[in-house]
Amino acid sequence: MITITQKEARKLALNCQGLLSDFDNSLAVIRQIGYVQIDTISVTERAHHHVIYSRNPNYQQQEIIQLMDDKKVFEYWSHAAAYLPMEDYRFSLFKKETYKEGNKHWFPRDEKVEKYVLDRIKAEGALQSKDFENPRDKNHEWYAWKPAKIALTNLFMDGSLMIANRKGFQKIFDISENVIPNETNTTTPTLDEYCKHLIFNSIKAHGLVAINEIIYLRKGVKPTVNKLLKQLTENKELIAVTVENNENTYYSTPQLLESINTIKVEKNVHLISPFDNLVIQRKRLKELFDFDYLIECYVPEPKRVFGYYTIPILFGDTFVGRLDAKADRKADTLTVKQIWYEPNFKPTPTFTKKLNEQLLLFANFCGCSQLI
């Protein structure tokens, strides 16, 4: 086991997250960080667009649609709904098999409705949820899903169907064989293969990871991941790492640890999506970056400390604050309602200039030409 400083840990994490130098290829971004979470909230811009934009400033929103059309990425569940690189398709089969074997997602299964849905898609081609009639009374409550929509979701989770693409953010479902490239490996990985993929994918994306970060929101894999971590450290494919003033045991590769001294951190400003891969694990964020962050859109308004949708501000290797912003595309304006800085941070003129520059660029990215 070796020990590194918190500053070294941050450098490694940010570099592997693709936040220390710009990408010019959105597919390369998704491959590097492993997945991009899909979310419907569009207070500023939807999470999947924002996450890629933070690493590829030239990103255009139609790129993700094109990557789906080109079969370079696919949609499935990571810790949440996500775009994943197509070369990782095989590892999605491990979770899909659990649903085929009876594991439940959100709703009970109805074999009759599922057969009807599958038969229609096989006969007619790709369909959306709206293409199926709802035999029940109309109800606008979010939980009152029509039977066909429930069937589509369950068939998607077990791999019988995939999302071919989206139209106006609405999912278009098709038979899986029609979505994946012919050369795709479709053999289901063993438990060991799946867990080894989790380990190395996590390290590639984050530089160094603790076991609870590797298995984040994944059930039933901890014993196997523990076993593999022991084996991989014994044969020196991995190195156990501690970070100063931190009780966790992290894991990284010899190559990544050797690269730390070559990584340079510039004092650049990044406006980070609340659903960004860097911040989504709040405990890790607190332990490595000393940043206590919670997205409060799910918190009742009277209990919010900051705002409905606050965006973390990263300056160099430090989170220095958060801002509450809202895009009004009809009015062509991004409004910054308020900025809160961390107690130990005092904005300098240089920082303020860089923040304002990034806010103008971010406003344009959100479809607004004005910033107030």
PDB file of all heavy atoms in Angstrom, residues 113-148:
ATOM      1  N   VAL A 113     -49.427  -8.836 -22.052  1.00  0.00           N
ATOM      2  CA  VAL A 113     -49.185  -7.509 -22.616  1.00  0.00           C
ATOM      3  C   VAL A 113     -47.793  -7.454 -23.246  1.00  0.00           C
ATOM      4  O   VAL A 113     -47.614  -6.873 -24.326  1.00  0.00           O
ATOM      5  CB  VAL A 113     -49.336  -6.417 -21.542  1.00  0.00           C
ATOM      6  CG1 VAL A 113     -49.010  -5.035 -22.125  1.00  0.00           C
ATOM      7  CG2 VAL A 113     -50.735  -6.414 -20.964  1.00  0.00           C
ATOM      8  N   GLU A 114     -46.817  -8.062 -22.610  1.00  0.00           N
ATOM      9  CA  GLU A 114     -45.460  -8.049 -23.154  1.00  0.00           C
ATOM     10  C   GLU A 114     -45.398  -8.764 -24.506  1.00  0.00           C
ATOM     11  O   GLU A 114     -44.708  -8.305 -25.425  1.00  0.00           O
ATOM     12  CB  GLU A 114     -44.481  -8.678 -22.159  1.00  0.00           C
ATOM     13  CG  GLU A 114     -44.245  -7.780 -20.946  1.00  0.00           C
ATOM     14  CD  GLU A 114     -43.248  -8.368 -19.967  1.00  0.00           C
ATOM     15  OE1 GLU A 114     -42.568  -9.358 -20.321  1.00  0.00           O
ATOM     16  OE2 GLU A 114     -43.144  -7.837 -18.837  1.00  0.00           O
ATOM     17  N   LYS A 115     -46.122  -9.880 -24.621  1.00  0.00           N
ATOM     18  CA  LYS A 115     -46.149 -10.585 -25.901  1.00  0.00           C
ATOM     19  C   LYS A 115     -46.798  -9.715 -26.979  1.00  0.00           C
ATOM     20  O   LYS A 115     -46.308  -9.639 -28.124  1.00  0.00           O
ATOM     21  CB  LYS A 115     -46.908 -11.905 -25.768  1.00  0.00           C
ATOM     22  CG  LYS A 115     -46.918 -12.739 -27.067  1.00  0.00           C
ATOM     23  CD  LYS A 115     -47.660 -14.048 -26.880  1.00  0.00           C
ATOM     24  CE  LYS A 115     -47.568 -14.901 -28.150  1.00  0.00           C
ATOM     25  NZ  LYS A 115     -48.061 -14.202 -29.365  1.00  0.00           N
ATOM     26  N   TYR A 116     -47.877  -9.048 -26.612  1.00  0.00           N
ATOM     27  CA  TYR A 116     -48.560  -8.159 -27.552  1.00  0.00           C
ATOM     28  C   TYR A 116     -47.617  -7.050 -28.033  1.00  0.00           C
ATOM     29  O   TYR A 116     -47.529  -6.755 -29.230  1.00  0.00           O
ATOM     30  CB  TYR A 116     -49.791  -7.567 -26.870  1.00  0.00           C
ATOM     31  CG  TYR A 116     -50.386  -6.380 -27.585  1.00  0.00           C
ATOM     32  CD1 TYR A 116     -51.078  -6.523 -28.781  1.00  0.00           C
ATOM     33  CD2 TYR A 116     -50.251  -5.086 -27.047  1.00  0.00           C
ATOM     34  CE1 TYR A 116     -51.623  -5.419 -29.428  1.00  0.00           C
ATOM     35  CE2 TYR A 116     -50.794  -3.978 -27.690  1.00  0.00           C
ATOM     36  CZ  TYR A 116     -51.474  -4.151 -28.877  1.00  0.00           C
ATOM     37  OH  TYR A 116     -52.013  -3.064 -29.523  1.00  0.00           O
ATOM     38  N   VAL A 117     -46.894  -6.439 -27.099  1.00  0.00           N
ATOM     39  CA  VAL A 117     -45.963  -5.354 -27.434  1.00  0.00           C
ATOM     40  C   VAL A 117     -44.844  -5.866 -28.338  1.00  0.00           C
ATOM     41  O   VAL A 117     -44.522  -5.255 -29.370  1.00  0.00           O
ATOM     42  CB  VAL A 117     -45.391  -4.741 -26.139  1.00  0.00           C
ATOM     43  CG1 VAL A 117     -44.179  -3.855 -26.442  1.00  0.00           C
ATOM     44  CG2 VAL A 117     -46.463  -3.939 -25.413  1.00  0.00           C
ATOM     45  N   LEU A 118     -44.256  -6.999 -27.972  1.00  0.00           N
ATOM     46  CA  LEU A 118     -43.179  -7.582 -28.780  1.00  0.00           C
ATOM     47  C   LEU A 118     -43.661  -7.946 -30.180  1.00  0.00           C
ATOM     48  O   LEU A 118     -42.970  -7.665 -31.178  1.00  0.00           O
ATOM     49  CB  LEU A 118     -42.608  -8.822 -28.089  1.00  0.00           C
ATOM     50  CG  LEU A 118     -41.438  -8.629 -27.135  1.00  0.00           C
ATOM     51  CD1 LEU A 118     -41.078  -9.957 -26.475  1.00  0.00           C
ATOM     52  CD2 LEU A 118     -40.216  -8.056 -27.846  1.00  0.00           C
ATOM     53  N   ASP A 119     -44.819  -8.558 -30.254  1.00  0.00           N
ATOM     54  CA  ASP A 119     -45.353  -8.965 -31.560  1.00  0.00           C
ATOM     55  C   ASP A 119     -45.579  -7.756 -32.467  1.00  0.00           C
ATOM     56  O   ASP A 119     -45.293  -7.806 -33.664  1.00  0.00           O
ATOM     57  CB  ASP A 119     -46.666  -9.743 -31.388  1.00  0.00           C
ATOM     58  CG  ASP A 119     -46.447 -11.154 -30.843  1.00  0.00           C
ATOM     59  OD1 ASP A 119     -45.283 -11.609 -30.858  1.00  0.00           O
ATOM     60  OD2 ASP A 119     -47.435 -11.783 -30.410  1.00  0.00           O
ATOM     61  N   ARG A 120     -46.087  -6.682 -31.902  1.00  0.00           N
ATOM     62  CA  ARG A 120     -46.325  -5.485 -32.709  1.00  0.00           C
ATOM     63  C   ARG A 120     -45.020  -4.889 -33.226  1.00  0.00           C
ATOM     64  O   ARG A 120     -44.917  -4.488 -34.383  1.00  0.00           O
ATOM     65  CB  ARG A 120     -47.099  -4.437 -31.898  1.00  0.00           C
ATOM     66  CG  ARG A 120     -48.596  -4.631 -31.949  1.00  0.00           C
ATOM     67  CD  ARG A 120     -49.323  -3.360 -31.529  1.00  0.00           C
ATOM     68  NE  ARG A 120     -49.028  -2.232 -32.411  1.00  0.00           N
ATOM     69  CZ  ARG A 120     -49.448  -0.990 -32.182  1.00  0.00           C
ATOM     70  NH1 ARG A 120     -50.180  -0.732 -31.105  1.00  0.00           N
ATOM     71  NH2 ARG A 120     -49.147  -0.019 -33.021  1.00  0.00           N
ATOM     72  N   ILE A 121     -44.019  -4.818 -32.364  1.00  0.00           N
ATOM     73  CA  ILE A 121     -42.738  -4.230 -32.790  1.00  0.00           C
ATOM     74  C   ILE A 121     -42.053  -5.116 -33.824  1.00  0.00           C
ATOM     75  O   ILE A 121     -41.470  -4.621 -34.800  1.00  0.00           O
ATOM     76  CB  ILE A 121     -41.831  -3.978 -31.563  1.00  0.00           C
ATOM     77  CG1 ILE A 121     -42.430  -2.857 -30.705  1.00  0.00           C
ATOM     78  CG2 ILE A 121     -40.408  -3.610 -31.993  1.00  0.00           C
ATOM     79  CD1 ILE A 121     -41.690  -2.571 -29.425  1.00  0.00           C
ATOM     80  N   LYS A 122     -42.157  -6.432 -33.650  1.00  0.00           N
ATOM     81  CA  LYS A 122     -41.585  -7.346 -34.646  1.00  0.00           C
ATOM     82  C   LYS A 122     -42.279  -7.188 -35.996  1.00  0.00           C
ATOM     83  O   LYS A 122     -41.635  -7.255 -37.051  1.00  0.00           O
ATOM     84  CB  LYS A 122     -41.703  -8.790 -34.160  1.00  0.00           C
ATOM     85  CG  LYS A 122     -40.739  -9.149 -33.039  1.00  0.00           C
ATOM     86  CD  LYS A 122     -40.978 -10.578 -32.542  1.00  0.00           C
ATOM     87  CE  LYS A 122     -40.027 -10.928 -31.404  1.00  0.00           C
ATOM     88  NZ  LYS A 122     -40.305 -12.289 -30.863  1.00  0.00           N
ATOM     89  N   ALA A 123     -43.571  -6.942 -35.962  1.00  0.00           N
ATOM     90  CA  ALA A 123     -44.341  -6.838 -37.209  1.00  0.00           C
ATOM     91  C   ALA A 123     -44.251  -5.454 -37.843  1.00  0.00           C
ATOM     92  O   ALA A 123     -44.167  -5.323 -39.069  1.00  0.00           O
ATOM     93  CB  ALA A 123     -45.806  -7.186 -36.928  1.00  0.00           C
ATOM     94  N   GLU A 124     -44.258  -4.411 -37.012  1.00  0.00           N
ATOM     95  CA  GLU A 124     -44.361  -3.048 -37.530  1.00  0.00           C
ATOM     96  C   GLU A 124     -43.038  -2.283 -37.520  1.00  0.00           C
ATOM     97  O   GLU A 124     -42.927  -1.234 -38.156  1.00  0.00           O
ATOM     98  CB  GLU A 124     -45.386  -2.265 -36.709  1.00  0.00           C
ATOM     99  CG  GLU A 124     -46.786  -2.859 -36.729  1.00  0.00           C
ATOM    100  CD  GLU A 124     -47.731  -2.132 -35.784  1.00  0.00           C
ATOM    101  OE1 GLU A 124     -47.605  -0.891 -35.662  1.00  0.00           O
ATOM    102  OE2 GLU A 124     -48.585  -2.802 -35.167  1.00  0.00           O
ATOM    103  N   GLY A 125     -42.054  -2.780 -36.765  1.00  0.00           N
ATOM    104  CA  GLY A 125     -40.806  -2.036 -36.619  1.00  0.00           C
ATOM    105  C   GLY A 125     -40.832  -1.194 -35.350  1.00  0.00           C
ATOM    106  O   GLY A 125     -41.738  -1.308 -34.516  1.00  0.00           O
ATOM    107  N   ALA A 126     -39.831  -0.345 -35.196  1.00  0.00           N
ATOM    108  CA  ALA A 126     -39.661   0.438 -33.975  1.00  0.00           C
ATOM    109  C   ALA A 126     -40.898   1.287 -33.669  1.00  0.00           C
ATOM    110  O   ALA A 126     -41.480   1.903 -34.558  1.00  0.00           O
ATOM    111  CB  ALA A 126     -38.431   1.331 -34.099  1.00  0.00           C
ATOM    112  N   LEU A 127     -41.283   1.319 -32.379  1.00  0.00           N
ATOM    113  CA  LEU A 127     -42.472   2.065 -31.945  1.00  0.00           C
ATOM    114  C   LEU A 127     -42.174   2.832 -30.657  1.00  0.00           C
ATOM    115  O   LEU A 127     -41.260   2.481 -29.903  1.00  0.00           O
ATOM    116  CB  LEU A 127     -43.641   1.115 -31.695  1.00  0.00           C
ATOM    117  CG  LEU A 127     -44.200   0.344 -32.895  1.00  0.00           C
ATOM    118  CD1 LEU A 127     -45.235  -0.673 -32.431  1.00  0.00           C
ATOM    119  CD2 LEU A 127     -44.809   1.309 -33.920  1.00  0.00           C
ATOM    120  N   GLN A 128     -42.972   3.865 -30.418  1.00  0.00           N
ATOM    121  CA  GLN A 128     -42.910   4.627 -29.180  1.00  0.00           C
ATOM    122  C   GLN A 128     -44.068   4.234 -28.270  1.00  0.00           C
ATOM    123  O   GLN A 128     -45.043   3.615 -28.712  1.00  0.00           O
ATOM    124  CB  GLN A 128     -42.973   6.125 -29.477  1.00  0.00           C
ATOM    125  CG  GLN A 128     -41.785   6.660 -30.261  1.00  0.00           C
ATOM    126  CD  GLN A 128     -41.948   8.137 -30.555  1.00  0.00           C
ATOM    127  OE1 GLN A 128     -42.364   8.523 -31.646  1.00  0.00           O
ATOM    128  NE2 GLN A 128     -41.637   8.978 -29.583  1.00  0.00           N
ATOM    129  N   SER A 129     -43.978   4.637 -27.030  1.00  0.00           N
ATOM    130  CA  SER A 129     -45.050   4.343 -26.083  1.00  0.00           C
ATOM    131  C   SER A 129     -46.383   4.889 -26.567  1.00  0.00           C
ATOM    132  O   SER A 129     -47.434   4.260 -26.399  1.00  0.00           O
ATOM    133  CB  SER A 129     -44.698   4.939 -24.716  1.00  0.00           C
ATOM    134  OG  SER A 129     -45.761   4.793 -23.821  1.00  0.00           O
ATOM    135  N   LYS A 130     -46.366   6.064 -27.184  1.00  0.00           N
ATOM    136  CA  LYS A 130     -47.618   6.687 -27.623  1.00  0.00           C
ATOM    137  C   LYS A 130     -48.313   5.902 -28.740  1.00  0.00           C
ATOM    138  O   LYS A 130     -49.484   6.149 -29.031  1.00  0.00           O
ATOM    139  CB  LYS A 130     -47.351   8.120 -28.089  1.00  0.00           C
ATOM    140  CG  LYS A 130     -46.531   8.234 -29.351  1.00  0.00           C
ATOM    141  CD  LYS A 130     -46.332   9.691 -29.746  1.00  0.00           C
ATOM    142  CE  LYS A 130     -45.570   9.814 -31.059  1.00  0.00           C
ATOM    143  NZ  LYS A 130     -45.388  11.233 -31.447  1.00  0.00           N
ATOM    144  N   ASP A 131     -47.571   4.950 -29.357  1.00  0.00           N
ATOM    145  CA  ASP A 131     -48.176   4.144 -30.419  1.00  0.00           C
ATOM    146  C   ASP A 131     -49.087   3.057 -29.871  1.00  0.00           C
ATOM    147  O   ASP A 131     -49.747   2.355 -30.643  1.00  0.00           O
ATOM    148  CB  ASP A 131     -47.083   3.508 -31.276  1.00  0.00           C
ATOM    149  CG  ASP A 131     -46.263   4.538 -32.029  1.00  0.00           C
ATOM    150  OD1 ASP A 131     -46.873   5.458 -32.598  1.00  0.00           O
ATOM    151  OD2 ASP A 131     -45.023   4.437 -32.029  1.00  0.00           O
ATOM    152  N   PHE A 132     -49.111   2.905 -28.554  1.00  0.00           N
ATOM    153  CA  PHE A 132     -49.971   1.909 -27.923  1.00  0.00           C
ATOM    154  C   PHE A 132     -51.094   2.623 -27.184  1.00  0.00           C
ATOM    155  O   PHE A 132     -50.866   3.562 -26.421  1.00  0.00           O
ATOM    156  CB  PHE A 132     -49.169   1.056 -26.942  1.00  0.00           C
ATOM    157  CG  PHE A 132     -48.097   0.247 -27.592  1.00  0.00           C
ATOM    158  CD1 PHE A 132     -46.821   0.778 -27.778  1.00  0.00           C
ATOM    159  CD2 PHE A 132     -48.333  -1.049 -28.031  1.00  0.00           C
ATOM    160  CE1 PHE A 132     -45.815   0.041 -28.380  1.00  0.00           C
ATOM    161  CE2 PHE A 132     -47.336  -1.797 -28.637  1.00  0.00           C
ATOM    162  CZ  PHE A 132     -46.073  -1.244 -28.813  1.00  0.00           C
ATOM    163  N   GLU A 133     -52.308   2.173 -27.401  1.00  0.00           N
ATOM    164  CA  GLU A 133     -53.449   2.796 -26.747  1.00  0.00           C
ATOM    165  C   GLU A 133     -53.508   2.406 -25.287  1.00  0.00           C
ATOM    166  O   GLU A 133     -53.081   1.312 -24.898  1.00  0.00           O
ATOM    167  CB  GLU A 133     -54.751   2.368 -27.434  1.00  0.00           C
ATOM    168  CG  GLU A 133     -54.896   2.905 -28.850  1.00  0.00           C
ATOM    169  CD  GLU A 133     -56.211   2.511 -29.474  1.00  0.00           C
ATOM    170  OE1 GLU A 133     -56.978   1.775 -28.821  1.00  0.00           O
ATOM    171  OE2 GLU A 133     -56.449   2.928 -30.611  1.00  0.00           O
ATOM    172  N   ASN A 134     -54.052   3.297 -24.476  1.00  0.00           N
ATOM    173  CA  ASN A 134     -54.245   3.026 -23.055  1.00  0.00           C
ATOM    174  C   ASN A 134     -55.692   2.616 -22.802  1.00  0.00           C
ATOM    175  O   ASN A 134     -56.600   3.435 -22.945  1.00  0.00           O
ATOM    176  CB  ASN A 134     -53.909   4.273 -22.229  1.00  0.00           C
ATOM    177  CG  ASN A 134     -53.988   3.989 -20.732  1.00  0.00           C
ATOM    178  OD1 ASN A 134     -54.266   2.866 -20.320  1.00  0.00           O
ATOM    179  ND2 ASN A 134     -53.745   5.003 -19.932  1.00  0.00           N
ATOM    180  N   PRO A 135     -55.944   1.348 -22.443  1.00  0.00           N
ATOM    181  CA  PRO A 135     -57.326   0.903 -22.219  1.00  0.00           C
ATOM    182  C   PRO A 135     -57.927   1.458 -20.930  1.00  0.00           C
ATOM    183  O   PRO A 135     -59.122   1.384 -20.724  1.00  0.00           O
ATOM    184  CB  PRO A 135     -57.184  -0.619 -22.143  1.00  0.00           C
ATOM    185  CG  PRO A 135     -55.786  -0.834 -21.646  1.00  0.00           C
ATOM    186  CD  PRO A 135     -54.964   0.270 -22.229  1.00  0.00           C
ATOM    187  N   ARG A 136     -57.095   2.010 -20.047  1.00  0.00           N
ATOM    188  CA  ARG A 136     -57.617   2.541 -18.792  1.00  0.00           C
ATOM    189  C   ARG A 136     -58.069   3.994 -18.966  1.00  0.00           C
ATOM    190  O   ARG A 136     -57.779   4.649 -19.955  1.00  0.00           O
ATOM    191  CB  ARG A 136     -56.517   2.496 -17.719  1.00  0.00           C
ATOM    192  CG  ARG A 136     -56.053   1.077 -17.396  1.00  0.00           C
ATOM    193  CD  ARG A 136     -54.939   1.118 -16.372  1.00  0.00           C
ATOM    194  NE  ARG A 136     -54.451  -0.234 -16.075  1.00  0.00           N
ATOM    195  CZ  ARG A 136     -53.378  -0.480 -15.350  1.00  0.00           C
ATOM    196  NH1 ARG A 136     -52.664   0.497 -14.872  1.00  0.00           N
ATOM    197  NH2 ARG A 136     -53.010  -1.733 -15.125  1.00  0.00           N
ATOM    198  N   ASP A 137     -58.783   4.482 -17.969  1.00  0.00           N
ATOM    199  CA  ASP A 137     -59.169   5.892 -17.977  1.00  0.00           C
ATOM    200  C   ASP A 137     -57.921   6.757 -17.951  1.00  0.00           C
ATOM    201  O   ASP A 137     -56.930   6.423 -17.309  1.00  0.00           O
ATOM    202  CB  ASP A 137     -60.037   6.208 -16.748  1.00  0.00           C
ATOM    203  CG  ASP A 137     -61.381   5.522 -16.825  1.00  0.00           C
ATOM    204  OD1 ASP A 137     -61.822   5.197 -17.946  1.00  0.00           O
ATOM    205  OD2 ASP A 137     -61.968   5.307 -15.757  1.00  0.00           O
ATOM    206  N   LYS A 138     -57.984   7.883 -18.621  1.00  0.00           N
ATOM    207  CA  LYS A 138     -56.822   8.765 -18.661  1.00  0.00           C
ATOM    208  C   LYS A 138     -56.594   9.366 -17.281  1.00  0.00           C
ATOM    209  O   LYS A 138     -57.507   9.773 -16.595  1.00  0.00           O
ATOM    210  CB  LYS A 138     -57.023   9.867 -19.697  1.00  0.00           C
ATOM    211  CG  LYS A 138     -57.071   9.324 -21.119  1.00  0.00           C
ATOM    212  CD  LYS A 138     -56.578  10.366 -22.092  1.00  0.00           C
ATOM    213  CE  LYS A 138     -56.586   9.782 -23.504  1.00  0.00           C
ATOM    214  NZ  LYS A 138     -55.438   8.984 -23.756  1.00  0.00           N
ATOM    215  N   ASN A 139     -55.341   9.385 -16.901  1.00  0.00           N
ATOM    216  CA  ASN A 139     -54.963   9.901 -15.592  1.00  0.00           C
ATOM    217  C   ASN A 139     -53.581  10.533 -15.751  1.00  0.00           C
ATOM    218  O   ASN A 139     -52.653   9.896 -16.226  1.00  0.00           O
ATOM    219  CB  ASN A 139     -54.918   8.748 -14.578  1.00  0.00           C
ATOM    220  CG  ASN A 139     -54.673   9.258 -13.160  1.00  0.00           C
ATOM    221  OD1 ASN A 139     -53.931  10.205 -12.944  1.00  0.00           O
ATOM    222  ND2 ASN A 139     -55.309   8.609 -12.204  1.00  0.00           N
ATOM    223  N   HIS A 140     -53.436  11.759 -15.355  1.00  0.00           N
ATOM    224  CA  HIS A 140     -52.181  12.457 -15.598  1.00  0.00           C
ATOM    225  C   HIS A 140     -51.164  12.284 -14.468  1.00  0.00           C
ATOM    226  O   HIS A 140     -50.106  12.895 -14.499  1.00  0.00           O
ATOM    227  CB  HIS A 140     -52.437  13.951 -15.835  1.00  0.00           C
ATOM    228  CG  HIS A 140     -53.242  14.195 -17.084  1.00  0.00           C
ATOM    229  ND1 HIS A 140     -52.753  13.928 -18.341  1.00  0.00           N
ATOM    230  CD2 HIS A 140     -54.498  14.657 -17.255  1.00  0.00           C
ATOM    231  CE1 HIS A 140     -53.670  14.238 -19.245  1.00  0.00           C
ATOM    232  NE2 HIS A 140     -54.746  14.668 -18.609  1.00  0.00           N
ATOM    233  N   GLU A 141     -51.494  11.490 -13.455  1.00  0.00           N
ATOM    234  CA  GLU A 141     -50.504  11.211 -12.422  1.00  0.00           C
ATOM    235  C   GLU A 141     -49.342  10.424 -13.030  1.00  0.00           C
ATOM    236  O   GLU A 141     -49.544   9.519 -13.835  1.00  0.00           O
ATOM    237  CB  GLU A 141     -51.127  10.405 -11.270  1.00  0.00           C
ATOM    238  CG  GLU A 141     -52.242  11.128 -10.533  1.00  0.00           C
ATOM    239  CD  GLU A 141     -51.742  12.318  -9.744  1.00  0.00           C
ATOM    240  OE1 GLU A 141     -50.518  12.388  -9.498  1.00  0.00           O
ATOM    241  OE2 GLU A 141     -52.555  13.176  -9.391  1.00  0.00           O
ATOM    242  N   TRP A 142     -48.103  10.754 -12.602  1.00  0.00           N
ATOM    243  CA  TRP A 142     -46.925  10.144 -13.228  1.00  0.00           C
ATOM    244  C   TRP A 142     -46.892   8.631 -13.045  1.00  0.00           C
ATOM    245  O   TRP A 142     -46.333   7.905 -13.864  1.00  0.00           O
ATOM    246  CB  TRP A 142     -45.652  10.767 -12.654  1.00  0.00           C
ATOM    247  CG  TRP A 142     -45.383  10.416 -11.217  1.00  0.00           C
ATOM    248  CD1 TRP A 142     -45.758  11.109 -10.119  1.00  0.00           C
ATOM    249  CD2 TRP A 142     -44.673   9.272 -10.719  1.00  0.00           C
ATOM    250  NE1 TRP A 142     -45.361  10.481  -8.975  1.00  0.00           N
ATOM    251  CE2 TRP A 142     -44.690   9.354  -9.310  1.00  0.00           C
ATOM    252  CE3 TRP A 142     -44.039   8.178 -11.315  1.00  0.00           C
ATOM    253  CZ2 TRP A 142     -44.082   8.402  -8.506  1.00  0.00           C
ATOM    254  CZ3 TRP A 142     -43.430   7.231 -10.509  1.00  0.00           C
ATOM    255  CH2 TRP A 142     -43.454   7.340  -9.121  1.00  0.00           C
ATOM    256  N   TYR A 143     -47.471   8.125 -11.959  1.00  0.00           N
ATOM    257  CA  TYR A 143     -47.378   6.694 -11.664  1.00  0.00           C
ATOM    258  C   TYR A 143     -48.448   5.881 -12.390  1.00  0.00           C
ATOM    259  O   TYR A 143     -48.428   4.656 -12.364  1.00  0.00           O
ATOM    260  CB  TYR A 143     -47.487   6.448 -10.149  1.00  0.00           C
ATOM    261  CG  TYR A 143     -48.685   7.087  -9.495  1.00  0.00           C
ATOM    262  CD1 TYR A 143     -49.939   6.492  -9.558  1.00  0.00           C
ATOM    263  CD2 TYR A 143     -48.556   8.295  -8.818  1.00  0.00           C
ATOM    264  CE1 TYR A 143     -51.039   7.083  -8.961  1.00  0.00           C
ATOM    265  CE2 TYR A 143     -49.664   8.892  -8.226  1.00  0.00           C
ATOM    266  CZ  TYR A 143     -50.894   8.284  -8.298  1.00  0.00           C
ATOM    267  OH  TYR A 143     -51.971   8.879  -7.713  1.00  0.00           O
ATOM    268  N   ALA A 144     -49.400   6.530 -13.024  1.00  0.00           N
ATOM    269  CA  ALA A 144     -50.478   5.794 -13.689  1.00  0.00           C
ATOM    270  C   ALA A 144     -50.074   5.447 -15.116  1.00  0.00           C
ATOM    271  O   ALA A 144     -50.613   5.956 -16.080  1.00  0.00           O
ATOM    272  CB  ALA A 144     -51.753   6.621 -13.666  1.00  0.00           C
ATOM    273  N   TRP A 145     -49.077   4.630 -15.225  1.00  0.00           N
ATOM    274  CA  TRP A 145     -48.555   4.238 -16.531  1.00  0.00           C
ATOM    275  C   TRP A 145     -49.518   3.263 -17.209  1.00  0.00           C
ATOM    276  O   TRP A 145     -50.108   2.403 -16.564  1.00  0.00           O
ATOM    277  CB  TRP A 145     -47.200   3.556 -16.373  1.00  0.00           C
ATOM    278  CG  TRP A 145     -46.086   4.499 -16.078  1.00  0.00           C
ATOM    279  CD1 TRP A 145     -46.166   5.739 -15.530  1.00  0.00           C
ATOM    280  CD2 TRP A 145     -44.700   4.251 -16.318  1.00  0.00           C
ATOM    281  NE1 TRP A 145     -44.921   6.285 -15.414  1.00  0.00           N
ATOM    282  CE2 TRP A 145     -44.000   5.403 -15.880  1.00  0.00           C
ATOM    283  CE3 TRP A 145     -43.989   3.190 -16.849  1.00  0.00           C
ATOM    284  CZ2 TRP A 145     -42.614   5.498 -15.972  1.00  0.00           C
ATOM    285  CZ3 TRP A 145     -42.615   3.282 -16.938  1.00  0.00           C
ATOM    286  CH2 TRP A 145     -41.935   4.436 -16.509  1.00  0.00           C
ATOM    287  N   LYS A 146     -49.635   3.396 -18.506  1.00  0.00           N
ATOM    288  CA  LYS A 146     -50.466   2.456 -19.234  1.00  0.00           C
ATOM    289  C   LYS A 146     -49.751   1.106 -19.314  1.00  0.00           C
ATOM    290  O   LYS A 146     -48.517   1.035 -19.271  1.00  0.00           O
ATOM    291  CB  LYS A 146     -50.793   2.997 -20.615  1.00  0.00           C
ATOM    292  CG  LYS A 146     -49.593   3.321 -21.484  1.00  0.00           C
ATOM    293  CD  LYS A 146     -50.058   4.033 -22.746  1.00  0.00           C
ATOM    294  CE  LYS A 146     -48.878   4.454 -23.613  1.00  0.00           C
ATOM    295  NZ  LYS A 146     -49.305   5.238 -24.772  1.00  0.00           N
ATOM    296  N   PRO A 147     -50.500  -0.006 -19.432  1.00  0.00           N
ATOM    297  CA  PRO A 147     -49.890  -1.341 -19.424  1.00  0.00           C
ATOM    298  C   PRO A 147     -48.785  -1.508 -20.463  1.00  0.00           C
ATOM    299  O   PRO A 147     -47.764  -2.140 -20.195  1.00  0.00           O
ATOM    300  CB  PRO A 147     -51.080  -2.263 -19.710  1.00  0.00           C
ATOM    301  CG  PRO A 147     -52.263  -1.523 -19.199  1.00  0.00           C
ATOM    302  CD  PRO A 147     -51.980  -0.075 -19.455  1.00  0.00           C
ATOM    303  N   ALA A 148     -48.980  -0.964 -21.657  1.00  0.00           N
ATOM    304  CA  ALA A 148     -47.963  -1.134 -22.698  1.00  0.00           C
ATOM    305  C   ALA A 148     -46.675  -0.428 -22.334  1.00  0.00           C
ATOM    306  O   ALA A 148     -45.581  -0.923 -22.629  1.00  0.00           O
ATOM    307  CB  ALA A 148     -48.490  -0.612 -24.034  1.00  0.00           C
TER     308      ALA A 148
END
